[in-house]
Amino acid sequence: FEVDFQPSRYYPNANTASHIVGYLGGISEEQELQHYVEYKKYDINDNVGKTGLEESFEDTLRGSKGSQLVYTDVYGRTTEIIQNNDAIPGNNLYTTIDLDFQKEVEDILRDGMKAMREGKPYETYYGPSNTRQAANAQIGVAVVMDVKSGEVLSMVSLPDYNPNLFVNGISS
């Protein structure tokens, strides 16, 4: 028989909102082994939410694995499917984050930090804004909320990362 693991998470917007979304990774730490493998009966090779919404909503986003039991010939080709259990996808999660606005806020923060590093005025919608020089401005955060509803419209943390690299095992 052959066992084949295929992660089924893809982040189409890569680095955008990466700190909000989080990422998946293998079960690797002692408390994860206890929580997921011993208590929740996950397979030791499963990917789980490591940070962000992926971690906070692991139980909601997680589906169930599919499986197939087959007969094969001497060449490994399937000759008969004995049992087929379809995988069941997890639930969707909806946030108040506006993707286009999120990208704009990320660009504004990135450009503002660059202006600070270079000691140049930052060009805003309303004209230039003088910034103090901060040659080491590499880290920044911005949160935009609707003051009436309390909804988070954008939340940016720089530097960011591409969560797809963790899912595909490059950085796990």
Side-chain angles (χ1 to χ4, degrees), residues 11-92:
Y11 304 96
N13 294 296
N15 296 40
T16 301
S18 59
H19 288 88
I20 299 169
V21 174
Y23 65 92
L24 295 177
I27 297 172
S28 58
E29 304 197 16
E30 186 61 36
Q31 72 268 17
E32 291 175 337
L33 286 168
Q34 289 178 342
H35 181 74
Y36 292 114
V37 177
E38 293 174 21
Y39 177 68
K40 292 194 171 195
K41 305 301 181 199
Y42 283 30
D43 185 276
I44 189 80
N45 296 310
D46 283 348
N47 283 328
V48 295
K50 293 287 199 171
T51 63
L53 295 173
E54 288 285 9
E55 180 182 22
S56 297
F57 290 91
E58 169 70 25
D59 293 336
T60 301
L61 296 169
R62 182 177 185 77
S64 64
K65 296 179 187 179
S67 64
Q68 199 174 58
L69 183 60
V70 298
Y71 282 124
T72 61
D73 63 18
V74 294
Y75 301 107
R77 295 181 298 225
T78 300
T79 58
E80 182 182 347
I81 298 173
I82 301 166
Q83 183 180 7
N84 187 38
N85 298 319
D86 291 334
I88 300 171
N91 294 312
N92 293 328

Side-chain angles (χ1 to χ4, degrees), residues 111-160:
D111 293 346
M113 289 169 50
K114 181 180 178 193
M116 289 175 73
R117 285 191 302 271
E118 295 173 355
K120 296 179 180 175
Y122 173 67
E123 288 297 325
T124 72
Y125 176 78
Y126 300 102
S129 172
N130 290 326
T131 59
R132 288 189 312 170
Q133 181 163 0
N136 296 324
Q138 301 292 329
I139 300 169
V141 175
V143 177
V144 181
M145 296 176 68
D146 182 322
V147 295
K148 293 180 182 174
S149 67
E151 293 177 340
V152 176
L153 305 176
S154 174
M155 202 162 49
V156 179
S157 180
L158 295 177
D160 56 17

